[in-house]
PDB file of all heavy atoms in Angstrom:
ATOM      1  N   PHE A 121    -114.284 -56.865 -35.934  1.00 87.00           N
ATOM      2  CA  PHE A 121    -114.183 -56.159 -34.684  1.00 87.00           C
ATOM      3  C   PHE A 121    -113.123 -55.071 -34.696  1.00 87.00           C
ATOM      4  O   PHE A 121    -112.541 -54.745 -33.640  1.00 87.00           O
ATOM      5  CB  PHE A 121    -113.890 -57.158 -33.507  1.00 87.00           C
ATOM      6  CG  PHE A 121    -114.972 -58.221 -33.394  1.00 87.00           C
ATOM      7  CD1 PHE A 121    -114.701 -59.557 -33.638  1.00 87.00           C
ATOM      8  CD2 PHE A 121    -116.293 -57.875 -33.048  1.00 87.00           C
ATOM      9  CE1 PHE A 121    -115.691 -60.556 -33.541  1.00 87.00           C
ATOM     10  CE2 PHE A 121    -117.280 -58.859 -32.938  1.00 87.00           C
ATOM     11  CZ  PHE A 121    -116.953 -60.130 -33.178  1.00 87.00           C
ATOM     12  N   ARG A 122    -112.916 -54.474 -35.838  1.00 86.00           N
ATOM     13  CA  ARG A 122    -111.955 -53.383 -35.913  1.00 86.00           C
ATOM     14  C   ARG A 122    -112.432 -52.204 -35.037  1.00 86.00           C
ATOM     15  O   ARG A 122    -113.624 -52.020 -34.827  1.00 86.00           O
ATOM     16  CB  ARG A 122    -111.924 -52.818 -37.400  1.00 86.00           C
ATOM     17  CG  ARG A 122    -110.926 -53.515 -38.275  1.00 86.00           C
ATOM     18  CD  ARG A 122    -110.887 -52.804 -39.612  1.00 86.00           C
ATOM     19  NE  ARG A 122    -109.998 -51.696 -39.555  1.00 86.00           N
ATOM     20  CZ  ARG A 122    -108.667 -51.789 -39.640  1.00 86.00           C
ATOM     21  NH1 ARG A 122    -108.128 -52.985 -39.805  1.00 86.00           N
ATOM     22  NH2 ARG A 122    -107.904 -50.733 -39.551  1.00 86.00           N
ATOM     23  N   ARG A 123    -111.489 -51.421 -34.606  1.00 84.00           N
ATOM     24  CA  ARG A 123    -111.887 -50.165 -33.818  1.00 84.00           C
ATOM     25  C   ARG A 123    -112.599 -49.258 -34.803  1.00 84.00           C
ATOM     26  O   ARG A 123    -112.097 -48.914 -35.869  1.00 84.00           O
ATOM     27  CB  ARG A 123    -110.647 -49.495 -33.302  1.00 84.00           C
ATOM     28  CG  ARG A 123    -110.869 -48.288 -32.522  1.00 84.00           C
ATOM     29  CD  ARG A 123    -109.634 -47.483 -32.336  1.00 84.00           C
ATOM     30  NE  ARG A 123    -108.719 -48.131 -31.403  1.00 84.00           N
ATOM     31  CZ  ARG A 123    -108.499 -47.742 -30.181  1.00 84.00           C
ATOM     32  NH1 ARG A 123    -109.145 -46.673 -29.713  1.00 84.00           N
ATOM     33  NH2 ARG A 123    -107.704 -48.336 -29.395  1.00 84.00           N
ATOM     34  N   LYS A 124    -113.856 -48.931 -34.428  1.00 83.00           N
ATOM     35  CA  LYS A 124    -114.621 -47.966 -35.301  1.00 83.00           C
ATOM     36  C   LYS A 124    -114.091 -46.530 -35.203  1.00 83.00           C
ATOM     37  O   LYS A 124    -113.485 -46.193 -34.194  1.00 83.00           O
ATOM     38  CB  LYS A 124    -116.100 -48.034 -34.886  1.00 83.00           C
ATOM     39  CG  LYS A 124    -116.716 -49.429 -34.799  1.00 83.00           C
ATOM     40  CD  LYS A 124    -117.262 -49.872 -36.106  1.00 83.00           C
ATOM     41  CE  LYS A 124    -117.890 -51.317 -36.045  1.00 83.00           C
ATOM     42  NZ  LYS A 124    -117.251 -52.289 -35.217  1.00 83.00           N
ATOM     43  N   LYS A 125    -114.383 -45.797 -36.163  1.00 85.00           N
ATOM     44  CA  LYS A 125    -113.966 -44.372 -36.228  1.00 85.00           C
ATOM     45  C   LYS A 125    -114.540 -43.668 -34.988  1.00 85.00           C
ATOM     46  O   LYS A 125    -115.727 -43.785 -34.722  1.00 85.00           O
ATOM     47  CB  LYS A 125    -114.458 -43.678 -37.486  1.00 85.00           C
ATOM     48  CG  LYS A 125    -113.460 -42.661 -38.026  1.00 85.00           C
ATOM     49  CD  LYS A 125    -113.829 -42.161 -39.394  1.00 85.00           C
ATOM     50  CE  LYS A 125    -112.759 -41.136 -39.793  1.00 85.00           C
ATOM     51  NZ  LYS A 125    -113.065 -40.482 -41.035  1.00 85.00           N
ATOM     52  N   GLY A 126    -113.773 -42.917 -34.242  1.00 83.00           N
ATOM     53  CA  GLY A 126    -114.313 -42.151 -33.083  1.00 83.00           C
ATOM     54  C   GLY A 126    -114.356 -42.976 -31.820  1.00 83.00           C
ATOM     55  O   GLY A 126    -114.599 -42.441 -30.719  1.00 83.00           O
ATOM     56  N   GLU A 127    -114.066 -44.289 -31.879  1.00 83.00           N
ATOM     57  CA  GLU A 127    -114.124 -45.144 -30.663  1.00 83.00           C
ATOM     58  C   GLU A 127    -112.793 -44.904 -29.928  1.00 83.00           C
ATOM     59  O   GLU A 127    -111.731 -45.119 -30.500  1.00 83.00           O
ATOM     60  CB  GLU A 127    -114.183 -46.584 -31.071  1.00 83.00           C
ATOM     61  CG  GLU A 127    -115.437 -47.281 -30.481  1.00 83.00           C
ATOM     62  CD  GLU A 127    -115.496 -48.736 -30.974  1.00 83.00           C
ATOM     63  OE1 GLU A 127    -114.445 -49.289 -31.268  1.00 83.00           O
ATOM     64  OE2 GLU A 127    -116.580 -49.239 -30.947  1.00 83.00           O
ATOM     65  N   THR A 128    -112.842 -44.510 -28.639  1.00 83.00           N
ATOM     66  CA  THR A 128    -111.615 -44.182 -27.886  1.00 83.00           C
ATOM     67  C   THR A 128    -111.454 -44.989 -26.616  1.00 83.00           C
ATOM     68  O   THR A 128    -110.369 -45.017 -26.044  1.00 83.00           O
ATOM     69  CB  THR A 128    -111.515 -42.677 -27.566  1.00 83.00           C
ATOM     70  OG1 THR A 128    -112.761 -42.324 -26.899  1.00 83.00           O
ATOM     71  CG2 THR A 128    -111.313 -41.785 -28.805  1.00 83.00           C
ATOM     72  N   GLY A 129    -112.521 -45.639 -26.195  1.00 82.00           N
ATOM     73  CA  GLY A 129    -112.474 -46.376 -24.877  1.00 82.00           C
ATOM     74  C   GLY A 129    -111.661 -47.625 -24.987  1.00 82.00           C
ATOM     75  O   GLY A 129    -111.269 -48.095 -26.087  1.00 82.00           O
TER      76      GLY A 129
END
Side-chain angles (χ1 to χ4, degrees):
F121 301 114
R122 273 186 85 78
R123 181 196 287 256
K124 308 273 181 321
K125 216 173 179 186
E127 238 177 26
T128 51

